[in-house]
Amino acid sequence: MRKKYIIANWKMSPLSLRQAESLFNKIKKGLPRLKNVSVIICPPLVYLAELMRSYSGRRIIFGAQNSFWENVGPFTGELSPHQLFELGAEYVILGHSERRALGETNSLVNKKIKAAAGAGLNVVFCIGEKERDERGDYLGFIEKEIKEGLAGFSREKLGRLLIAYEPIWAIGRAGDEAASSDLLHQMKIFILKILKSLYGERGMEVPIIYGGASAPENARELLSEGEVRGLLVGHQSLIPENFIEIIKIADSLK
Ligand code: PGA
């Protein structure tokens, strides 16, 4: 049985530490004993250290939503991957479409990925097209995102990489607007083929996860028929009972 990853991307919510603690505590209390799922929570950075300090359990792993491409130096306002690692965070989300919309290019994402993996973090590398076209241009777009995002990323570091396929047209939508499991399955195969062309058989072992309107009502189908190794959950991760339900569904699947 291969492990699944359920990753909460809280984005810029909630608005106070008190609310963040309350959300975290509800998730913590509701978590069952898990056989087969890693639960990773990526809160806003201002809450990360405090939540980590208050938690002594092992069931929840922490991550960040961004990090910089240098570990040290005069970079006002940036976040060193080394600092994150030292804090005890284990994951970082990079290349999210909401950051790309603010100007992050494939080459910036590439530098961040290499720095984060080099600092010992696991990288959740996000890719995904804005829209689909009949000619299939979006496939070329995805291929470019992967190849440029991973340029110079060594095979030895592949164990620290997850790829999150997040079609932008599904992000933030209601559950019935997520990618269909058929489409997701096709995209997963497409992504793995690219990884194989870059890294050989070893590339095929990189976990491919999905994000975009994942919810309790579609989690089972996305995971079992889409055959992805996990979900990157946005707005539904802010609703503790829904997030826990998604985790339970993932844990119940082979
Ligand atoms: P969503 O967001 O679950 O709210 O669609 C996912 C994401 O942006 O990572």
Side-chain angles (χ1 to χ4, degrees):
M1 215 154 46
R2 294 209 290 173
K3 191 167 67 172
K4 295 201 171 55
Y5 302 84
I6 302 295
I7 307 177
N9 177 8
W10 286 2
K11 307 193 180 182
M12 216 163 67
S13 293
L15 285 182
S16 71
L17 176 60
R18 211 164 56 80
Q19 289 170 7
E21 286 171 334
S22 157
L23 172 59
F24 182 77
N25 287 334
K26 285 181 188 152
I27 294 171
K28 185 175 78 177
K29 287 210 180 86
L31 267 193
R33 201 162 286 285
L34 298 168
K35 300 184 295 290
N36 193 31
V37 174
S38 287
V39 178
I40 297 139
I41 296 189
C42 304
L45 190 62
V46 284
Y47 309 138
L48 185 65
E50 185 56 25
L51 293 178
M52 289 181 71
R53 196 191 55 74
S54 71
Y55 181 66
S56 55
R58 293 173 163 260
R59 287 187 216 181
I60 297 173
I61 301 168
F62 290 90
Q65 299 171 16
N66 186 25
S67 60
F68 194 52
W69 60 78
E70 294 285 355
N71 279 308
V72 62
F75 302 107
T76 303
E78 291 297 345
L79 172 65
S80 150
H82 180 79
Q83 290 168 342
L84 269 180
F85 180 81
E86 280 295 315
L87 186 68
E90 293 181 40
Y91 284 78
V92 62
I93 299 171
L94 292 174
H96 192 282
S97 59
E98 288 156 9
R99 296 213 52 84
R100 293 178 189 265
L102 295 174
E104 283 194 16
T105 59
N106 287 340
S107 97
L108 286 192
V109 173
N110 172 253
K111 292 204 279 183
K112 290 184 169 195
I113 290 175
K114 287 191 284 196
L121 296 168
N122 297 302
V123 174
V124 182
F125 170 28
C126 301
I127 55 170
E129 76 282 5
K130 199 167 184 172
E131 54 199 8
R132 302 207 139 208
D133 55 274
E134 294 200 346
R135 288 195 322 192
D137 287 350
Y138 65 92
L139 293 172
F141 177 84
I142 300 270
E143 181 166 357
K144 194 163 158 21
E145 277 193 327
I146 298 174
K147 289 192 168 159
E148 293 185 2
L150 294 179
F153 186 85
S154 71
R155 183 180 274 107
E156 290 67 47
K157 295 266 172 13
L158 280 181
R160 298 212 178 117
L161 183 71
L162 281 79
I163 294 195
Y165 171 60
E166 294 208 301
I168 299 172
W169 45 265
I171 290 178
R173 299 304 182 98
D176 59 358
E177 292 178 79
S180 70
S181 52
D182 272 0
L183 181 151
L184 180 54
H185 191 238
Q186 284 167 19
M187 289 310 295
K188 182 194 110 162
I189 292 171
F190 179 71
I191 293 163
L192 286 177
K193 272 194 173 163
I194 297 169
L195 291 173
K196 188 174 178 191
S197 77
L198 295 174
Y199 297 105
E201 289 302 320
R202 180 67 189 82
M204 307 281 283
E205 287 164 30
V206 173
I208 311 298
I209 68 171
Y210 170 78
S214 48
E217 65 262 33
N218 59 28
R220 183 176 306 276
E221 196 177 326
L222 289 168
L223 289 166
S224 59
E225 284 158 44
E227 284 187 19
V228 284
R229 294 275 304 280
L231 299 170
L232 179 52
V233 187
H235 63 282
Q236 294 285 321
S237 69
L238 300 170
I239 307 172
E241 51 283 13
N242 289 5
F243 187 57
I244 288 162
E245 186 58 28
I246 294 171
I247 293 167
K248 286 183 179 165
I249 292 168
D251 201 46
S252 72
L253 298 170
K254 289 244 168 59

